[in-house]
């Protein structure tokens, strides 16, 4: 019986991937590229295979491969090595070795001709992908293939970005050289912009491949690609989980020093080797080429009727220095001598999508996206070249309330990287030509989301929860709003929202407070506000929601998105910790929560279902989300409501309460032990005005909770009869 239920869950996941056109195309490409090797099979398998599996098949597989001689255990962090070995011996040594592990023996025959795959997807976006032969890990050519991938797709100065995205042919493009024990594939992929033809895009790709084969890469471009690869490798090595995984990867590839020697081997790659490797592996005549055409022309909306732990001893140190520049910028410096890098992270408050004026929905997103498209002293090309050549990794995002940023660099590049970021947020030029390109990219993203059930459900849920309020739309905006935005609108928005008094900077890494202050004053100290600030909207006055069920029809969907929405608990409220425990028991984990156990494990109605509480500056949103087959939608909704009502009436058990507390405490300790977790926690402290010792205080709050407080919090804030429910997909 349990196997039958799990089959239904796996099939649900299979169907979920069919709603992801790029993934579906990639699966077809790989299946078409390999004829003999088992790489041709998707990891999750095929629906017919899943249905035909027997208990004997599963137990046989388990007994063959889940054995000590086929397992690797890697541990990293702050622990006593002797005790760790004793625990490992205690829990793992009793398992007997298995038989010799069979390995795939099929040798993929040489491709003699090009293979072509065409398919339709249930969306509006067209996709193209190429698959070429690649080498196996540890082979000499593999490092040259990594360099080729970086030349093609890393950063806005990369060849694919310039040839496809900058020209308006694609909204995104990339390349990947893969990580396989046997020879695998090198893939090039793109999402076409509306109006761009398949022939045009393929012609550009094939010209770029010929350039690699016929001309040596210029020295500076080669050095830039190497810098990007080495920087990424260093960045990955700065988290505990990545260190542990690196040891596993080393063992899998049969080289105990693979990750440590990666940079040295990348440095050995020459321009001549890049050229010869491109000739050897990038043969258009023998590649596998795929095209997925979007089939949907429109989607319709139908409205239904209303129906005792602490950070000490964990290895984590969250102490930091904080100061304010004369112009109002808040600067935090968190020193970590163990790394050789520096990141500048933080946010600009009151610059997110809830600041979008009526009729200009999407202006916050567009403004954030335009920052690196040109400044008063640098063009887009110069910015991209500086970032890529210096190995600066950037991640910017517009949320409802803030523009968030995180730029990582080696310490030796800190002055260059921070100067560049300061120039982008203080002196953006918003060139008209780049604005039109950026607008087209954003409109293409809106089009793509329009046929994606989860995006459509969330969009409609926000509209239902915040009618007539500026929180009632997603950061991506609307087609009408984005189309109406002018350059002068963006300049005005930037002056009103991007102001020194709104900026929080967190300098993290191998940097002293004195060095941080010097860099902040040098690059940000002269910035002055201009004119009056834009006023953020007040919170919705009515915190009570009337229940409603809404259906958004999207033709051709195999999986529907189901979302429940209501008001949650803000991080500053006294009930926050109690509600987090209640929520974790209810839906925090797909596999162990009440909802997950019933809807997924017991009934097999969906692959994943979970609930979460997201806290903003003054208010919070509670959501439950699931993907399920159209025929199961009603069952998922009814079952979820029943579970919530049962929890509210009966309460959670003592065992659930203790397990949830332990999980949340341990998860928090792990989170603040990682570099990224430390930065995010410090940012959270500053944004919400929490105590500097919040990381310890939340642990104490979890520890001191009672079962009665947790049940009381659930009953206070949750009521299925006051929730909005949205379903997006096909009937």
């Amino acid at each position: 019986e349990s196997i039958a239920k799990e089959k239904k869950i796996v099939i649900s996941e299979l169907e979920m991937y069919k709603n992801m056109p790029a993934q579906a195309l990639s699966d077809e490409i790989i299946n078409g590229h390999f004829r003999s090797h088992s790489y041709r099979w998707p990891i999750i398998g095929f629906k017919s295979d899943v249905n035909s599996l027997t208990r004997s098949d599963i137990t046989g597989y388990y007994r063959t491969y889940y054995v000590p001689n086929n397992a690797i255990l890697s541990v990293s962090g702050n622990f006593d090595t002797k005790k760790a070995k004793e625990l490992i011996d205690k829990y793992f040594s009793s398992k007997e070795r298995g038989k010799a592990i069979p390995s795939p023996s099929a040798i993929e025959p040489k491709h003699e001709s090009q293979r072509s795959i065409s398919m339709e997807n249930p969306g509006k976006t067209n996709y193209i992908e190429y698959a070429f032969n690649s080498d196996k890990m540890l082979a000499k050519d593999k490092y040259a293939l990594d360099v080729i991938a970086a030349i093609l797709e890393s950063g806005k100065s990369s060849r694919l970005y310039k040839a496809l995205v900058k020209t308006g042919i694609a909204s995104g493009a990339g390349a990947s050289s893969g990580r396989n024990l046997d020879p695998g594939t090198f893939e090039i992929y793109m999402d076409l912009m509306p109006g761009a033809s398949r022939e045009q895009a393929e012609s550009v790709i094939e010209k770029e491949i010929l350039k690699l084969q016929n001309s040596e890469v210029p020295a500076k471009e080669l050095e830039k690609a190497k810098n990007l690869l080495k920087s990424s490798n260093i960045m990955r090595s700065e988290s505990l989980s990545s260190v542990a995984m690196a040891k596993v990867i080393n063992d899998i590839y049969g080289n105990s020093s693979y990750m440590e020697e990666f940079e040295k081997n990348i440095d050995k790659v020459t321009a001549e080797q890049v050229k010869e490797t491109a000739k050897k592996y990038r043969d258009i005549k023998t590649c596998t080429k795929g095209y997925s055409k979007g089939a949907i022309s429109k989607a319709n909306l139908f409205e239904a009727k209303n129906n005792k732990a602490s950070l000490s001893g964990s290895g984590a140190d969250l102490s930091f220095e904080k100061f304010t520049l004369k112009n109002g910028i808040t600067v935090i410096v968190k020193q970590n001598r163990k790394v050789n890098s520096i990141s500048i992270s933080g946010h600009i408050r009151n610059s997110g999508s809830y600041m979008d004026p009526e009729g200009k929905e999407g202006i916050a997103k567009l403004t954030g996206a335009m920052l690196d498209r040109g400044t008063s002293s640098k063009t887009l090309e110069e910015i991209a070249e500086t970032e890529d050549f210096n190995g600066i990794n950037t991640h910017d995002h517009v949320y409802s309330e803030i523009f968030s940023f995180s730029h990582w660099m080696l310490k030796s590049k800190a002055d260059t990287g921070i100067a560049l970021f300061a120039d982008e947020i203080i002196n953006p030029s918003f060139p008209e030509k780049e604005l039109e390109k950026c607008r087209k990219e954003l409109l293409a993203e809106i089009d793509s989301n329009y046929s994606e059930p989860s995006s459509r459900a969330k969009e409609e849920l926000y509209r239902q929860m915040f009618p007539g309020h500026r929180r009632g739309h997603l950061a991506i905006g609307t087609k009408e709003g984005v189309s109406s935005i002018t350059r002068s609108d963006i300049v005005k928005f930037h002056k009103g929202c991007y102001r020194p008094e709104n900026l929080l900077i967190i300098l993290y890494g191998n940097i002293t407070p004195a060095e941080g202050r010097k860099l902040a004053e040098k690059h940000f100290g002269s910035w002055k506000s201009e004119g009056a600030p834009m006023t953020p909207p007040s919170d919705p006055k009515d915190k009570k929601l009337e229940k409603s069920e809404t259906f958004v029809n999207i033709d051709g969907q195999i999986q529907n998105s189901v979302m429940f929405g209501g008001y949650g608990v803000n991080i500053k409220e006294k009930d926050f910790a109690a509600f987090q425990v209640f929520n974790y028991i209810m839906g925090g984990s797909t596999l162990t929560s009440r909802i997950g156990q019933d809807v997924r494990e017991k009934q097999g109605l969906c692959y994943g279902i979970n609930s979460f509480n997201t806290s903003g500056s003054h208010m919070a949103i509670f959501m439950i989300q699931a993907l399920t087959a159209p025929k199961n939608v009603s069952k998922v909704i009814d079952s979820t409501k029943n579970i919530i009502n049962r929890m509210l009436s009966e309460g959670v058990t003592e065992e659930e309460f203790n397990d949830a507390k332990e999980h949340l405490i341990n998860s928090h300790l792990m989170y603040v032990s990682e570099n990224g977790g430390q930065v995010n926690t410090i940012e959270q402290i500053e944004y919400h005005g929490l105590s500097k010792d919040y990381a310890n205080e939340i642990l104490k709050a979890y520890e001191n909770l009672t079962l009665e407080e947790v049940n009381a919090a659930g009953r206070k804030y949750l009521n299925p009869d006051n929730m909005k429910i949205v379903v997006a997909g096909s009937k």
Side-chain angles (χ1 to χ4, degrees), residues 77-255:
N78 184 24
F79 55 84
D80 183 290
T81 303
K82 183 180 178 181
K83 289 181 179 178
K85 287 182 176 179
E86 289 173 354
L87 288 170
I88 291 169
D89 185 65
K90 177 181 177 181
Y91 291 108
F92 292 96
S93 63
S94 61
K95 180 80 171 175
E96 294 183 1
R97 285 179 62 90
K99 296 179 181 179
I101 307 301
S103 298
S105 57
I107 298 175
E108 188 66 23
K110 183 179 179 180
H111 286 208
E112 300 295 340
S113 61
Q114 187 182 95
R115 300 169 186 175
S116 184
I117 292 168
S118 293
M119 58 190 295
E120 277 197 348
N121 71 71
K124 302 178 75 174
T125 305
N126 300 329
Y127 302 86
I128 291 176
E129 182 170 342
Y130 285 73
F132 301 89
N133 292 328
S134 184
D135 211 341
K136 61 183 178 181
M137 290 302 297
L138 304 185
K140 181 182 177 181
D141 288 342
K142 187 64 181 65
Y143 298 104
L145 289 166
D146 286 343
V147 171
I148 290 172
I151 290 168
L152 287 174
E153 71 105 31
S154 292
K156 291 183 177 178
S157 66
S158 67
R159 294 191 177 189
L160 290 183
Y161 187 90
K162 288 179 178 178
L164 290 166
V165 180
K166 189 179 176 185
T167 57
I169 296 172
S171 60
S176 172
S177 61
R179 292 285 186 273
N180 300 94
L181 288 173
D182 291 335
T185 56
F186 183 106
E187 295 159 37
I188 298 175
Y189 43 87
M190 73 203 76
D191 308 347
L192 290 184
M193 289 286 284
S197 71
R198 173 185 182 179
E199 294 74 20
Q200 182 185 21
E202 290 178 349
S203 174
V204 170
I205 286 291
E206 293 171 18
K207 284 179 182 177
E208 291 299 326
I209 291 168
L210 288 174
K211 282 166 61 177
L212 283 168
Q213 294 171 337
N214 297 329
S215 305
E216 286 193 3
V217 178
K220 187 174 181 181
E221 187 178 15
L222 179 62
E223 184 181 358
K224 177 178 65 178
K226 291 179 179 180
N227 288 345
L228 284 163
L229 289 168
K230 291 187 290 183
S231 293
S232 296
N233 192 57
I234 292 171
M235 186 168 66
R236 284 194 297 269
S237 70
E238 291 184 353
S239 75
L240 292 175
S241 56
S242 295
V243 170
M245 184 54 69
K247 300 302 180 185
V248 172
I249 291 171
N250 288 350
D251 199 87
I252 290 173
Y253 294 150
N255 179 355

Side-chain angles (χ1 to χ4, degrees), residues 161-439:
Y161 187 90
K162 288 179 178 178
L164 290 166
V165 180
K166 189 179 176 185
T167 57
I169 296 172
S171 60
S176 172
S177 61
R179 292 285 186 273
N180 300 94
L181 288 173
D182 291 335
T185 56
F186 183 106
E187 295 159 37
I188 298 175
Y189 43 87
M190 73 203 76
D191 308 347
L192 290 184
M193 289 286 284
S197 71
R198 173 185 182 179
E199 294 74 20
Q200 182 185 21
E202 290 178 349
S203 174
V204 170
I205 286 291
E206 293 171 18
K207 284 179 182 177
E208 291 299 326
I209 291 168
L210 288 174
K211 282 166 61 177
L212 283 168
Q213 294 171 337
N214 297 329
S215 305
E216 286 193 3
V217 178
K220 187 174 181 181
E221 187 178 15
L222 179 62
E223 184 181 358
K224 177 178 65 178
K226 291 179 179 180
N227 288 345
L228 284 163
L229 289 168
K230 291 187 290 183
S231 293
S232 296
N233 192 57
I234 292 171
M235 186 168 66
R236 284 194 297 269
S237 70
E238 291 184 353
S239 75
L240 292 175
S241 56
S242 295
V243 170
M245 184 54 69
K247 300 302 180 185
V248 172
I249 291 171
N250 288 350
D251 199 87
I252 290 173
Y253 294 150
N255 179 355
S256 61
S257 303
Y258 169 75
M259 297 298 285
E260 291 77 4
E261 295 174 355
F262 179 79
E263 294 175 45
K264 181 179 67 177
N265 286 315
I266 288 295
D267 273 333
K268 290 180 181 178
V269 176
T270 65
E272 176 64 22
Q273 188 182 355
V274 168
K275 180 180 174 182
E276 292 306 312
T277 303
K279 287 181 180 179
K280 183 177 178 181
Y281 294 98
R282 302 289 157 272
D283 189 353
I284 297 294
K285 295 178 182 178
T286 59
C287 74
T288 303
K289 186 163 62 172
Y291 178 66
S292 178
K293 179 178 175 60
I296 284 185
S297 59
K298 63 179 180 178
N300 300 310
L301 179 70
F302 294 90
E303 180 74 28
K305 62 182 179 180
N306 285 340
N307 310 308
K308 297 188 180 181
S310 73
L311 298 183
S312 60
S314 71
D317 173 18
L318 259 69
S319 61
F320 56 85
E321 294 287 331
K322 174 183 172 182
F323 52 88
T324 304
L325 301 186
K326 291 180 180 179
N327 56 6
I329 295 175
T330 301
V331 182
I332 289 174
V333 181
K334 168 60 182 161
Q335 187 175 10
N336 182 350
R337 296 186 181 91
K338 297 178 182 178
V339 301
N340 191 34
S341 62
I342 290 173
S343 66
I344 178 169
S345 305
H347 60 256
I348 300 177
R349 65 171 63 236
N350 296 335
S351 62
S353 59
Y354 84 150
M355 299 295 290
D356 290 351
E358 186 177 352
K360 302 291 180 180
E361 293 82 5
I363 193 170
K365 178 82 170 179
L366 203 52
T367 302
M370 284 291 294
L371 295 177
D372 63 357
R373 300 291 180 113
T375 69
S376 56
S377 61
K378 286 184 174 63
T379 63
L380 178 150
E381 291 79 10
E382 290 169 333
I383 291 172
E385 190 68 28
T386 302
E387 287 179 347
D388 296 345
F389 185 77
N390 290 285
I392 299 168
N393 185 288
T394 67
H395 180 75
D396 302 329
H397 194 84
V398 174
Y399 294 96
S400 175
E401 299 177 359
I402 62 172
F403 168 78
S404 173
F405 57 87
S406 179
H407 294 205
W408 180 97
M409 63 214 71
L410 294 173
K411 182 176 181 179
S412 59
K413 307 295 183 181
D415 191 68
T416 300
I418 293 171
L420 183 65
F421 173 67
D423 193 30
E424 290 174 7
I425 67 165
I426 298 172
N427 307 305
S429 58
F430 303 119
E432 196 78 54
K433 186 177 178 182
E434 292 301 327
L435 171 59
E436 292 312 310
K437 291 178 184 176
C438 199
R439 187 200 312 277

Side-chain angles (χ1 to χ4, degrees), residues 351-577:
S351 62
S353 59
Y354 84 150
M355 299 295 290
D356 290 351
E358 186 177 352
K360 302 291 180 180
E361 293 82 5
I363 193 170
K365 178 82 170 179
L366 203 52
T367 302
M370 284 291 294
L371 295 177
D372 63 357
R373 300 291 180 113
T375 69
S376 56
S377 61
K378 286 184 174 63
T379 63
L380 178 150
E381 291 79 10
E382 290 169 333
I383 291 172
E385 190 68 28
T386 302
E387 287 179 347
D388 296 345
F389 185 77
N390 290 285
I392 299 168
N393 185 288
T394 67
H395 180 75
D396 302 329
H397 194 84
V398 174
Y399 294 96
S400 175
E401 299 177 359
I402 62 172
F403 168 78
S404 173
F405 57 87
S406 179
H407 294 205
W408 180 97
M409 63 214 71
L410 294 173
K411 182 176 181 179
S412 59
K413 307 295 183 181
D415 191 68
T416 300
I418 293 171
L420 183 65
F421 173 67
D423 193 30
E424 290 174 7
I425 67 165
I426 298 172
N427 307 305
S429 58
F430 303 119
E432 196 78 54
K433 186 177 178 182
E434 292 301 327
L435 171 59
E436 292 312 310
K437 291 178 184 176
C438 199
R439 187 200 312 277
K440 287 180 180 178
E441 292 167 16
L442 192 53
L443 289 172
E445 188 178 348
I446 291 172
D447 266 349
S448 179
N449 282 358
Y450 203 67
S451 54
E452 203 283 306
S454 294
S455 297
R456 289 295 303 282
K458 190 174 182 180
E459 177 186 48
E460 181 58 25
L461 181 63
Y462 277 40
R463 186 181 293 125
Q464 292 281 330
M465 289 182 63
F466 306 106
H469 193 277
R470 284 193 272 172
R471 289 185 183 271
H473 66 276
L474 301 183
I476 196 172
T478 65
K479 212 163 188 177
E480 297 76 18
V482 172
S483 298
S484 72
I485 295 167
T486 65
R487 181 183 180 279
S488 61
D489 292 329
I490 292 177
V491 170
K492 181 180 178 182
F493 185 88
H494 180 266
K495 286 183 178 180
C497 298
Y498 284 68
R499 306 168 68 83
E501 64 268 27
N502 287 349
L503 176 60
L504 167 69
I505 293 171
I506 301 172
L507 294 168
Y508 180 94
N510 198 339
I511 183 171
T512 66
E515 290 171 330
R517 181 183 288 272
K518 185 177 179 180
L519 281 169
E521 289 178 342
K522 176 182 178 181
H523 297 298
F524 295 93
S526 62
W527 187 19
K528 296 180 181 179
S529 298
E530 294 182 34
M534 285 184 67
T535 304
S538 57
D539 290 335
K541 294 180 180 179
D542 186 6
K543 290 294 183 72
K544 293 182 180 179
L545 295 174
E546 294 184 6
K547 72 172 183 178
S548 65
E549 294 188 16
T550 305
F551 179 72
V552 181
N553 187 65
I554 311 174
D555 294 332
Q557 300 300 308
I558 299 171
Q559 290 270 293
N560 286 6
S561 176
V562 179
M563 288 192 183
F564 289 66
Y567 293 126
V569 183
N570 188 273
I571 194 171
K572 291 183 284 190
E573 296 186 46
K574 65 177 182 178
D575 296 323
F576 178 74

